[in-house]
Amino acid sequence: MTFLSFLVLLAIAYMLWRIMDQLPDVVFRLSEIQRDIAEIRRSQASSSPDGGAG
């Protein structure tokens, strides 16, 4: 049972390591998506005749 617990702990540590390894890329992609959405909203607000108030 101790060996099985050790293997489970190793698997959890590996998964956490992989997630932490990918976090900077995920944060960068999310910031790029947020920037693109803000740019689309700005272009829609400037192109609408009422200034985007509706």
Side-chain angles (χ1 to χ4, degrees):
M1 190 67 181
T2 304
F3 183 70
L4 184 61
S5 298
F6 177 71
L7 286 179
V8 169
L9 184 64
L10 235 101
I12 291 172
Y14 176 75
M15 291 298 190
L16 285 174
W17 174 69
R18 292 294 295 156
I19 290 170
M20 296 307 262
D21 192 40
Q22 295 296 321
L23 268 181
D25 187 44
V26 171
V27 170
F28 173 75
R29 290 174 190 260
L30 285 175
S31 67
E32 290 291 309
I33 291 170
Q34 185 180 12
R35 185 179 56 88
D36 292 343
I37 290 173
E39 186 177 322
I40 290 169
R41 285 183 178 166
R42 272 196 304 271
S43 68
Q44 287 178 348
S46 64
S47 65
S48 65
D50 61 351

